[in-house]
Amino acid sequence: MSSDQQRKFDVIVWGATGFTGKLVCEYIATKYPQLRWAVGGRSESKLCAVLSSLNVTKDVIVANLSDDTSMDALCSQTNVLISTAGPFAKLGTPVVAACIRSGTHYVDITGEGQWVRSIIDAYHEDAKSKQLKIIPCCGLDCLPSDMTHLLLTQQLKHLNCHAVNTVRLTVDSVKGGVSGGTVSSIYNMFENLSTEELLRTTDPYYLYPRATNSGPGPKGFSTKNPVLKPTSTSVHARARDVLMPAFDTKFIQAFHRIYDQEECHTPWGLTMPWVMQAINTRVVNRSIALAQSEDKCKDGCDTSALVYTEALQVPGTEGRHSEGPLRRLFNLFMGLIISFTYCCVMTPITVCVLYFPLTRRLFKLLVLDPIQSGAGGPSKEEMKKGYFNGISYGIGVRVKDSDLGKAGTDMQRAQEGPIEEVVVYGSVNIEGDAGYMKTAVMLTECALSLALNADKLPSEAHNYGIVTPAIGLGTTVVDRLNDKSNGSSGITFKVFNA
C-alpha cells in the first residue's frame, strides 16, 4: 500500500447512508474529530444528508459498483476502506476487488460465510502478495469470538502450555434489535445458494484454507480434502456445532471465577445453540488454521487440535439468589422446554420457510419488506438498552512443575513425564446494542488499528490476504477497545487465571 502521506484520508466509510453506516459516521465524528475521513456511496444527496445530520463537513465521494474506474478512484484516496453496504454477496465483491487493485486495506461487518468463502477463493493470494489486509467480519460477527479465542490462547501459551485443546464462549446474556440489512442478508443466502453450497456452510471448517497441492500440509492437516481440515476424527467430533441443549459445568466454574457469587447468582449451566455460531466458529477456525500455516508453531505450543465452540445460556436458568429452590427448579424445567422447542421445532421451521421458494416469498412480503420500509433498525433508545455478555474458558496442557528442570523441550518432556490441565477464563462485556451500535464501534476501531497503529500489527506472511480480525489485527484492536483515555468504548475484554 502507498505510504500514509500519499493518501488523502485515513478511512473512507462506504455505505454511509445505511443503518450501520450512519452509526459509524456518528461514532467517528463524535470520538475522532481530528481524523482524516470521508464518506462514499452512490447517492451524493443522501451522503450529504448524513453529514448534515451530524453537523460535520467532510468530503463526499460518489462511486458506482458497476464502474471500476470510479471505485478505484475512491479506494486510492484512503488507507483503509470501511464497508457497511450489504448484502455483501450482492454488493461486496466489487468493493473488495477495487481495494486490492488500489492497494487499500479493508474492513466490513458481514456475517455471510458463503460470500467470505468466495472472496477467499478469488482474492486471497492476490491480496497476500500485495501485503494487504482484507478483513471481513469485524462487527458482532465475529470480533468478540475471534478476540476471545486469541486472548485465551495467548494466555495459555504464557502459562507454558505445550498444547491448547479447547476454547468455548458462552453468551451469558444478550439483548438487541434487528435491522433490515441483517434480515436481507439471511434471505439473500437462501435465495441464491444451491442446496449443495448451503450444506457446505454447515461445516465448521468451511472457511479453512484450500489444499493447493498434493504434498503434506501444515502439521495436523490433510491435503486430501477441498479444504485443509484437521486429520483427527476426535477433533472433528468436538468441533461440531452445538445442536442440542447440554449442561456445561466448566461454564459454571468460569462464571464463579469472573463474578462474585454473593452479588450475582449461581447458574444451572444449561446451554443451547447460539445462532451466530454458524459464522463465528468458521471465522475462528480460519484464524486457527492461518496461525498454524507455514509452520507457525515456533512458540512450541501446538494448536492443531484446538477446537472452538459457542453456546447460549438458556434464558431464565441463571439461578438468581432471590429465587427459592422450587422457583429455581421450575425455571430449569421451563428452560429445558424452551431450549428443546428452539432446537427441535423453531429452527427446522425457520429453515424450511426460508428454503422453499413459496414460503420464502411470503417471508419477504410479511417480514422483510415491512422492516425495510420502516426505520431500518432499532431506535437509539432501544439500542442504548441493549447488551451482550459472554463468558469463556480455554483449556491447555503443560508439563508439571516438577518436570520443568528436565532437558528437552516441553513437547519432548510431555511425551515422557506427567502433564497437567490448565484452565483460563475470559469475559467480553458490551454495553449497548452489540449488533448495531457497538458493531459500529468495533468496526471503526478495527479500521483505525490498520490506519493508525500499523507498527503494532502482526506482519508475517500469513497475516496478509483475506484474513480474520485475530490474524490481521492481533490484540491491537482489543487494546483500543479497552482503552478508557478517550472515553469508554463500552466494550471490555478480560482474561483471568484459574
Side-chain angles (χ1 to χ4, degrees):
M1 188 183 75
S2 303
S3 65
D4 291 359
Q5 290 74 19
Q6 295 175 306
R7 297 284 172 114
K8 186 176 181 180
F9 304 109
D10 294 315
V11 298
I12 290 178
V13 182
W14 172 259
T17 60
F19 188 79
T20 306
K22 291 176 182 177
L23 294 174
V24 169
C25 293
E26 181 179 359
Y27 179 71
I28 294 175
T30 302
K31 192 167 184 179
Y32 299 105
Q34 303 304 316
L35 188 72
R36 300 179 301 144
W37 67 287
V39 294
R42 292 169 289 180
S43 171
E44 183 176 6
S45 61
K46 290 181 180 180
L47 291 169
C48 290
V50 170
L51 295 177
S52 177
S53 69
L54 298 173
N55 197 29
V56 296
T57 302
K58 295 294 176 181
D59 285 26
V60 172
I61 305 173
V62 177
N64 194 309
L65 290 176
S66 61
D67 182 358
D68 288 351
T69 301
S70 69
M71 290 301 300
D72 292 351
L74 180 147
C75 293
S76 62
Q77 297 184 61
T78 185
N79 296 316
V80 183
L81 186 78
I82 298 175
S83 179
T84 62
F88 287 84
K90 284 187 174 181
L91 306 174
T93 303
V95 184
V96 170
C99 283
I100 294 174
R101 289 194 302 268
S102 306
T104 301
H105 297 309
Y106 167 96
V107 295
D108 72 32
I109 55 168
T110 187
E112 301 166 48
Q114 81 286 359
W115 178 73
V116 177
R117 177 74 264 175
S118 72
I119 62 169
I120 290 170
D121 293 341
Y123 299 111
H124 175 69
E125 293 303 327
D126 193 8
K128 184 177 180 180
S129 68
K130 295 180 179 180
Q131 291 195 323
L132 293 175
K133 295 186 176 183
I134 307 297
I135 312 178
C137 306
C138 290
L140 183 59
D141 345 38
C142 306
L143 191 77
S145 304
D146 213 18
M147 291 302 136
T148 291
H149 138 258
L150 179 62
L151 291 170
L152 294 191
T153 300
Q154 287 187 347
Q155 185 67 7
L156 288 166
K157 291 178 179 180
H158 178 71
L159 295 174
N160 299 318
C161 288
H162 62 260
V164 180
N165 299 327
T166 301
V167 174
R168 174 73 169 263
L169 172 67
T170 300
V171 179
D172 176 39
S173 57
V174 62
K175 180 181 179 182
V178 177
S179 80
T182 298
V183 179
S184 180
S185 294
I186 297 171
Y187 175 87
N188 182 67
M189 182 178 74
F190 280 89
E191 176 80 5
N192 294 288
L193 288 188
S194 66
T195 301
E196 184 181 11
E197 190 64 22
L198 281 171
L199 290 173
R200 286 197 190 102
T201 66
T202 64
D203 185 351
Y205 300 106
Y206 180 61
L207 299 182
Y208 255 46
R210 289 198 186 278
T212 57
N213 55 60
S214 58
K219 180 179 178 181
F221 299 98
S222 167
T223 57
K224 296 180 180 180
N225 302 297
V227 295
L228 297 171
K229 297 183 182 182
T231 54
S232 169
T233 54
S234 64
V235 171
H236 277 260
R238 292 192 296 121
R240 292 171 184 155
D241 285 340
V242 175
L243 298 177
M244 296 298 291
F247 287 95
D248 186 351
T249 57
K250 278 195 164 52
F251 165 73
I252 300 175
Q253 295 169 11
F255 186 94
H256 288 165
R257 174 64 183 87
I258 294 169
Y259 297 114
D260 186 340
Q261 294 183 58
E262 297 302 321
E263 296 179 4
C264 296
H265 48 274
T266 303
W268 284 103
L270 179 61
T271 62
M272 61 185 284
W274 169 231
V275 64
M276 292 179 63
Q277 69 176 335
I279 181 61
N280 291 342
T281 57
R282 281 65 169 160
V283 169
V284 174
N285 281 334
R286 181 166 177 81
S287 293
I288 295 169
L290 291 175
Q292 280 281 327
S293 67
E294 302 179 19
D295 193 25
K296 293 299 172 184
C297 289
K298 296 176 182 177
D299 51 18
C301 184
D302 182 13
T303 57
S304 61
L306 171 57
V307 167
Y308 175 85
T309 55
E310 290 186 347
L312 169 69
Q313 180 180 216
V314 175
T317 63
E318 297 89 351
R320 302 187 182 281
H321 289 332
S322 58
E323 299 170 344
L326 291 179
R327 180 67 181 180
R328 280 171 54 91
L329 286 172
F330 174 77
N331 288 344
L332 174 62
F333 175 72
M334 291 304 298
L336 287 168
I337 293 177
I338 291 171
S339 56
F340 275 102
T341 301
Y342 173 85
C343 296
C344 301
V345 180
M346 293 177 61
T347 299
I349 289 176
T350 302
V351 170
C352 288
V353 166
L354 290 171
Y355 179 77
F356 294 105
L358 177 59
T359 52
R360 189 165 59 240
R361 283 195 290 270
L362 288 173
F363 174 86
K364 183 177 186 299
L365 179 66
L366 299 176
V367 178
L368 179 57
D369 289 346
I371 292 177
Q372 292 182 324
S373 63
S379 68
K380 282 193 175 182
E381 288 304 314
E382 290 172 330
M383 288 190 289
K384 288 178 181 179
K385 296 176 183 178
Y387 52 81
F388 177 98
N389 298 298
I391 295 175
S392 56
Y393 58 83
I395 303 173
V397 291
R398 68 182 176 192
V399 180
K400 284 190 174 181
D401 292 342
S402 59
D403 288 75
L404 289 177
K406 290 185 178 182
T409 65
D410 279 357
M411 297 287 284
Q412 292 169 338
R413 292 197 302 272
Q415 296 174 358
E416 303 171 2
I419 60 174
E420 61 182 351
E421 182 180 273
V422 181
V423 183
V424 296
Y425 305 112
S427 66
V428 52
N429 303 105
I430 301 176
E431 302 172 12
D433 188 302
Y436 300 101
M437 176 184 286
K438 295 306 177 180
T439 276
V441 173
M442 289 183 269
L443 177 65
T444 303
E445 296 299 344
C446 285
L448 297 185
S449 297
L450 290 167
L452 306 180
N453 302 124
D455 58 324
K456 298 180 181 179
L457 301 179
S459 57
E460 296 188 54
H462 72 289
N463 299 119
Y464 297 98
I466 312 297
V467 294
T468 63
I471 294 297
L473 305 174
T475 58
T476 302
V477 67
V478 173
D479 295 336
R480 293 188 64 91
L481 291 169
N482 283 347
D483 184 14
K484 303 294 192 295
S485 62
N486 190 28
S488 174
S489 69
I491 303 169
T492 306
F493 290 86
K494 293 182 181 179
V495 177
F496 306 82
N497 291 334

